[in-house]
Amino acid sequence: MDGILMTESYGILSAISLDPVEKKPLYHFLPGRPILSIGSFGCNLRCAFCQNCHISQAGIERFDHHPVRDPEDIVQKAKLSRNNIGLAYTYNEPTVYFEYMHQAARLIHEQGQRNVMVTNGFIEEEPLRILLPLIDAFNIDLKSFRNEFYQTHAGSTLQPVLRSIEQVAKSGKHLEITCLLIPGLNDSPTEWRALLSWLSDHAGGELVLHVSRYHPASNMSLPPTPRSVIEEFTALAREHFPFTYPGNVGGLNQDTHCPQCGMVLIRRSGYHTEIVGLDGNACGACRQSIPGIFR
């Protein structure tokens, strides 16, 4: 409007829910605690396999069905939600409601709670720099290590995502990475090893990694990722990152083990989480340091 970029979705929320923090997924950030989670509509990518396409690719015609919620209203709800650690910006890509997230995140910190951003990482350096003092934990979705994949299946490019991962890692903020494996598109062992090597060099060996199973969604009808592929790629990742977890597949162990002595530190069953062997940020048996924020 008159040369000024306007947002039409400010305060329009598609969902408000008190979720386990593990659902983001974040496994090494205040495990076992709930976090109030919000999402809006829209995305800056167009992934053919989007699991939330009903909100990420919705148009403004949906807005009339959702009342405007001021940041102050949501922050107050976060404060009053029992045992809640703060506010998570998730469900759709929070970058597209940057101004709303920034205002809410500032207010959340003022009342002593935490902010979590679940993002595709496709954001410029300057707005991410503005967010870094306010966001306590990130989960960034790294969809592939090939630019061609991003161009063909996500309508974007790879380099900005890698830059964001590196920027967050250098900031010292808590970072976990999710990789969705899609049969025949990004499940090459060669690509996977290159991705792991880059993450090790640019995000550090203490990174927490989630290897997630694809299911048909949106405009993609390929069959689900075989369970054996999730197991294989999880094992390969653990050669670089001992804290690697399978996702979107039942029956696989998601407990956190001490990489030094093997003791179970955090036991998980679905979204039920129990801390059993941690002493602060260390293994209670051998005192091995464990990366994360646990209290």
Side-chain angles (χ1 to χ4, degrees):
M1 181 183 297
D2 297 326
I4 300 173
L5 186 64
M6 308 290 289
T7 174
E8 296 184 283
S9 63
Y10 187 90
I12 304 294
L13 302 183
S14 61
I16 308 170
S17 179
L18 192 64
D19 289 340
V21 72
E22 286 79 9
K23 194 174 181 180
K24 300 306 104 190
L26 289 170
Y27 275 20
H28 285 227
F29 184 77
L30 301 175
R33 298 285 299 277
I35 186 164
L36 188 67
S37 303
I38 64 170
S40 183
F41 293 93
C43 188
N44 53 4
L45 271 60
R46 284 295 179 267
C47 298
F49 47 87
C50 180
Q51 307 290 299
N52 286 328
C53 59
H54 60 290
I55 59 172
S56 70
Q57 298 176 27
I60 60 173
E61 67 277 358
R62 297 281 300 276
F63 295 176
D64 290 342
H65 303 287
H66 299 266
V68 175
R69 304 291 296 267
D70 291 332
E72 292 80 3
D73 176 28
I74 295 302
V75 169
Q76 181 66 7
K77 185 176 179 65
K79 183 178 182 179
L80 297 177
S81 297
R82 188 171 180 268
N83 205 32
N84 176 39
I85 61 173
L87 195 56
Y89 312 93
T90 180
Y91 303 137
N92 76 310
E93 174 51 48
T95 298
V96 303
Y97 57 93
F98 176 90
E99 296 85 358
Y100 188 93
M101 173 172 52
H102 183 263
Q103 174 69 358
R106 183 181 60 80
L107 295 172
I108 284 288
H109 267 193
E110 287 179 0
Q111 67 185 27
Q113 291 185 307
R114 315 288 185 98
N115 290 295
V116 165
M117 184 178 179
V118 182
T119 175
N120 58 36
F122 197 76
I123 181 173
E124 292 285 354
E125 289 181 77
E126 182 57 27
L128 182 54
R129 189 176 297 115
I130 292 170
L131 286 174
L132 279 171
L134 298 173
I135 305 298
D136 300 284
F138 292 80
N139 185 294
I140 298 180
D141 187 11
L142 180 55
K143 302 174 188 298
S144 171
F145 201 57
R146 290 184 300 110
N147 190 57
E148 180 187 3
F149 177 98
Y150 269 86
Q151 291 177 320
T152 302
H153 303 291
S156 60
T157 55
L158 169 63
Q159 193 55 42
V161 181
L162 298 182
R163 184 185 63 216
S164 294
I165 290 172
E166 193 167 17
Q167 191 175 352
V168 172
K170 285 181 177 178
S171 76
K173 293 303 180 82
H174 183 75
L175 172 63
E176 303 191 17
I177 300 290
T178 295
C179 298
L180 181 74
L181 294 181
I182 305 175
L185 296 183
N186 65 353
D187 61 345
S188 156
T190 300
E191 177 185 343
W192 186 240
R193 289 188 177 93
L195 180 152
L196 294 172
S197 179
W198 187 91
L199 285 174
S200 182
D201 290 341
H202 295 267
E206 292 191 333
L207 186 70
V208 178
L209 189 63
H210 301 267
V211 183
S212 191
R213 187 187 194 194
Y214 150 86
H215 293 275
S218 189
N219 296 318
M220 189 166 287
S221 57
L222 292 169
T225 314
R227 179 190 178 97
S228 60
V229 171
I230 299 298
E231 292 178 300
E232 176 190 355
F233 279 56
T234 298
L236 286 172
R238 284 177 177 161
E239 296 175 7
H240 291 262
F241 307 105
F243 302 107
T244 298
Y245 303 95
N248 275 359
V249 53
L252 296 184
N253 191 301
Q254 294 187 323
D255 294 345
T256 297
H257 293 261
C258 174
Q260 182 71 28
C261 71
M263 180 179 180
V264 177
L265 306 177
I266 305 173
R267 186 172 287 122
R268 299 182 182 87
S269 177
Y271 292 128
H272 176 74
T273 301
E274 183 182 7
I275 297 176
V276 294
L278 273 176
D279 182 7
N281 271 64
C283 171
C286 72
R287 308 307 304 167
Q288 170 72 27
S289 177
I290 307 299
I293 298 172
F294 300 107
R295 59 183 178 184

